[in-house]
Amino acid sequence: MNTRRSSESRRLHLPITAMILNVAQSDPEQLALVGARDRLTYSGLVEDSRSMFAIVDELHRTQPLPPTPAPETDNIPITAISTTSAYDTSRIIAGLAGYRAVSATIDPRWPLNHQLGVIRTTGIGVVISDSPALAEALAASGWTGTVISLTDFRARQAAALPAPAPAVRDGNEPFLMLFSSGTTSNPKAFIKTRQQYRENVAVSSAHLGPLPGVATLAPGPVSYSLTLYAVIESLAIGGSVHLADEFDPITMGSRIAAEEITRVVAVPAVVRALAEAARRDSERFAFVDLVVTGGANLPASIRDRLGEILPAARLISYYGAAEIGFIGDSRDGDGTWIHVYPSIGAQIRDDSGAELPEGELGTLWIRAAACSYGYVTGTTEAVLRGADGWATVDDQGRVVNGMLQLAGRAGDIAITGGHKVSLPEVERAFETYDNLGEVCAIALDDPALGSIIVLVIEASTDNADNADNAGKAALLNHARARLAPQFVPRRIYRLDRLPRTVGGKVRRTETVDLIMDGQGQRL
C-alpha cells in the first residue's frame, strides 16, 4: 500500500510535459482539451504541439529584426495569444509547454493602448490575434514582430513539417508571462518559471481536487488566471479540461451531463449562474461533486444557493494571487475566514514592515515556493518580493486564531475618524439584505473625519423598488445591527449601473468619480 501511494504521489507531481507524454503513451485516447466543437486527446495534443512549435519557431526565426524579449525571459522568444477562443488559447499554451518558448495570454477586451503597451514593453515577438485594429496599431508603432490570425495559424500548422517531440524542460526556465491587471491601469507583467508552476500544481493538487482522469469544466477567458490555472493543473495531473468562451446555462448543462463532468472551476458570477441553471434542471448537473471558485469573500448567498440545489457538491473558495499562487481556501460561510495552506507562510505587517500583533489590520505578506521573482522591467515600478523573500500584492487583512481574514487591497481601506475601515466588510453586511443586489462601499473626503463611508447601490430592475420601499432608515438599521459604528455608512446613493471591469468586478475608483460628478441619487 505504501509503495502504491508513493508511486501515485510521484506521478501527481510530474512536470506538465512529462505527464502529457506519459498519458499519451499509457492512455492515448484520454481527452486532454475539449471545446464546444473541438477536442484533443493526449496523443493528439502531443502531435498537435509538434506542428504548432514548428510554425511558432519559424515565425520568430524569419523576422529580419525581431523584438528583444524582456530580460526576465532569458532571451527566450515570447508568443502571445489574444483571442476569445478559450479552446485555441489553451491548445497553444499546452502545445508550447514542451519547447523553449514563453507564452502569454492577452485579453482582447483590454483597451487597445494596454494591449499595444505590453506587447512593445515586454518584447513579445509573435501575436496570434484576429484583431485588425491591434495589427494596425502595432504596425504604426514601429513594432518589428509578427501578427498572424488564428485562421492563418491553423492553416499553416496543418501543412507544417512537425518539429521534434516535446520534452521536459529545466525547472528554472521561464514558462509563462502573465499580467496582473489590464482593465483600469497599465498591466503589470511577471514571469512564472516551470518550477514555480510545478510548485503551484503541488499545492492545488493537495487541496483543490484536480485528480488523474477527472473531467474539469473551466468556462471563461484563459486570460483570467483562474481559468489558466485550471488548464495547467488539469493537464499536469492527467485530467481533462473542458473549455467554453462563456457560461451558457443550457449548453453547459448539456455538456456536463454528456461528458460526465464532476469538477467546475469558475468565477463567483458563473457559480451563481450554475446554481440557477441547476435549479431549473438539476438532473443535468448531477455529476458535479466539486465546485472551485477564486477570490476571497465569496457571497454567502452563492454558497447557500448551491448547497440547496446541489447538496452533494462541495464548494471551495480559494484565495490566491496570480503572482504568488494558491494561498488558502474557505469551505463554509461567506469565505471571510481563510485556512492558509500548511506549505504557505503568512504575516500581517505595518507600513514599516514590522509584523503586527494578532487581530490588527495590516498588509498581508506571503512566503510561497510558487511565487514569481518580480515584475517584468518597464511594466511597473511596484516591488513584489522583499529582500527576505516574502512577497505582497498589497492585500490587507488580519490573522485571528491562525485564520486569515481579508479586507481588500490597500485602496479598499478607508481612514475615518482615526479608524481603519475595510470597505469590502461594509459591502458584505448588505449581502443578507433581501433583493438589494450589487452594492459598492466608497470613502469620500471629509474635513472633520478625514473621510466618511458611503454606500452606493445599483438601481437594477430587480432591486430598485426594494431600495425605494426600504429607504435610507431601513438600510442603515440593517448596517447598525451588523457593523461596528465606524463601519456604518453615513450616506447612501443609488446609481443606475455600477461601473465594472471586463471581468464583472465593480470598479470602486470609478464609482467614487461618478458620485463626485453628481450622477448618483442620494437617498
Side-chain angles (χ1 to χ4, degrees):
M1 177 67 72
N2 289 339
T3 300
R4 185 174 66 83
R5 286 181 179 175
S6 177
S7 175
E8 180 71 2
S9 176
R10 288 195 298 270
R11 179 175 183 258
L12 292 181
H13 294 93
L14 289 173
I16 180 173
T17 303
M19 180 63 75
I20 290 172
L21 293 172
N22 280 5
V23 178
Q25 182 175 26
S26 63
D27 190 3
E29 296 308 305
Q30 179 180 324
L31 290 173
L33 298 172
V34 183
R37 293 174 299 277
D38 302 289
R39 56 184 58 207
L40 270 177
T41 63
Y42 270 83
S43 59
L45 177 58
V46 171
E47 291 308 307
D48 187 63
S49 67
R50 296 180 63 189
S51 59
M52 180 188 302
F53 180 71
I55 296 305
V56 167
D57 186 48
E58 181 184 7
L59 290 172
H60 282 289
R61 285 190 297 104
T62 56
Q63 293 168 351
L65 185 63
T68 302
E72 290 83 358
T73 67
D74 293 344
N75 209 37
I76 298 175
I78 310 168
T79 302
I81 308 97
S82 181
T83 172
T84 57
S85 171
Y87 173 81
D88 280 299
T89 302
S90 301
R91 180 178 69 89
I92 295 168
I93 290 173
L96 295 179
Y99 296 94
R100 185 177 181 271
V102 172
S103 301
T105 58
I106 296 176
D107 195 328
R109 298 172 300 174
W110 282 358
L112 183 60
N113 65 310
H114 284 187
Q115 298 180 54
L116 182 65
V118 298
I119 291 169
R120 287 178 52 81
T121 302
T122 61
I124 290 171
V126 170
V127 178
I128 302 169
S129 170
D130 292 321
S131 170
L134 177 59
E136 293 170 5
L138 286 168
S141 72
W143 178 69
T144 58
T146 304
V147 178
I148 184 171
S149 71
L150 186 57
T151 300
D152 289 346
F153 185 82
R154 278 179 171 252
R156 292 187 62 168
Q157 188 182 349
L161 182 66
V168 177
R169 311 290 302 181
D170 184 87
N172 292 323
E173 189 175 87
F175 175 36
L176 293 176
M177 176 180 286
L178 306 177
F179 304 96
S180 64
S181 183
T183 54
T184 59
S185 61
N186 290 330
K188 298 192 291 289
F190 55 95
I191 295 292
K192 285 289 187 185
T193 68
R194 296 174 183 276
Q195 185 60 38
Q196 286 164 354
Y197 243 107
R198 293 168 193 171
E199 298 287 355
N200 209 35
V201 170
V203 175
S204 172
S205 62
H207 302 285
L208 299 178
L211 298 172
V214 165
T216 294
L217 172 66
V222 184
S223 54
Y224 291 178
S225 60
L226 176 142
T227 311
L228 179 60
Y229 282 152
V231 172
I232 298 297
E233 69 182 6
S234 292
L235 296 178
I237 217 71
S240 303
V241 60
H242 296 247
L243 291 311
D245 301 339
E246 58 185 3
F247 185 86
D248 173 68
I250 296 176
T251 303
M252 291 303 101
S254 299
R255 287 182 64 181
I256 286 172
E259 305 284 357
E260 298 186 3
I261 292 169
T262 60
R263 180 172 178 262
V264 178
V265 178
V267 297
V270 169
V271 176
R272 178 185 280 115
L274 183 149
E276 289 306 308
R279 179 180 60 81
R280 293 190 291 270
D281 189 358
S282 60
E283 290 187 5
R284 289 190 172 188
F285 296 84
F287 288 105
V288 176
D289 60 25
L290 176 60
V291 177
V292 178
T293 188
N297 303 330
L298 177 75
S301 58
I302 295 179
R303 187 182 298 276
D304 293 343
R305 191 66 170 154
L306 189 69
E308 292 171 5
I309 298 165
L310 297 176
R314 295 173 295 142
L315 176 59
I316 301 176
S317 172
Y318 76 78
Y319 164 60
E323 298 95 322
I324 296 173
F326 297 114
I327 295 170
D329 68 47
S330 175
R331 306 188 180 211
D332 53 32
D334 61 2
T336 302
W337 293 99
I338 296 165
H339 292 271
V340 177
Y341 297 136
S343 60
I344 307 299
Q347 291 182 353
I348 304 297
R349 301 179 181 178
D350 63 18
D351 293 341
S352 72
E355 187 172 1
L356 289 169
E358 181 173 291
E360 289 198 23
L361 188 65
T363 300
L364 174 63
W365 287 78
I366 297 293
R367 190 178 187 96
C371 184
S372 295
Y373 295 124
Y375 294 110
V376 171
T377 305
T379 64
T380 181
E381 295 182 357
V383 176
L384 175 62
R385 279 196 185 198
D388 57 1
W390 289 70
T392 184
V393 291
D394 292 326
D395 280 344
Q396 304 294 294
R398 59 175 65 88
V399 172
V400 178
N401 295 326
M403 299 282 286
L404 171 65
Q405 184 185 47
L406 292 178
R409 291 287 173 97
D412 295 331
I413 304 298
I415 306 296
T416 177
H419 299 283
K420 284 185 177 180
V421 172
S422 164
L423 298 175
E425 286 187 38
V426 176
E427 294 162 355
R428 283 199 299 271
F430 289 91
E431 289 175 1
T432 56
Y433 197 107
D434 290 341
N435 302 318
L436 186 61
E438 197 82 54
V439 301
C440 178
I442 61 174
L444 298 182
D445 291 340
D446 181 82
L449 298 174
S451 66
I452 58 171
I453 307 303
V454 173
L455 185 73
V456 183
I457 63 177
E458 188 173 64
S460 69
T461 55
D462 292 335
N463 67 54
D465 291 341
N466 182 76
D468 286 337
N469 293 334
K472 179 180 178 180
L475 292 167
L476 291 181
N477 286 338
H478 180 89
R480 292 186 184 109
R482 291 161 177 80
L483 294 169
Q486 65 268 25
F487 282 68
V488 175
R490 289 176 174 260
R491 298 180 195 168
I492 299 178
Y493 290 86
R494 185 169 63 237
L495 282 173
D496 290 338
R497 180 72 175 167
L498 288 168
R500 286 173 167 78
T501 67
V502 294
K505 294 182 180 180
V506 174
R507 288 175 165 147
R508 198 182 307 280
T509 301
E510 290 192 17
T511 301
V512 172
D513 293 339
L514 291 175
I515 296 301
M516 293 299 294
D517 288 343
Q519 298 189 38
Q521 177 186 354
R522 185 171 177 179
L523 300 184

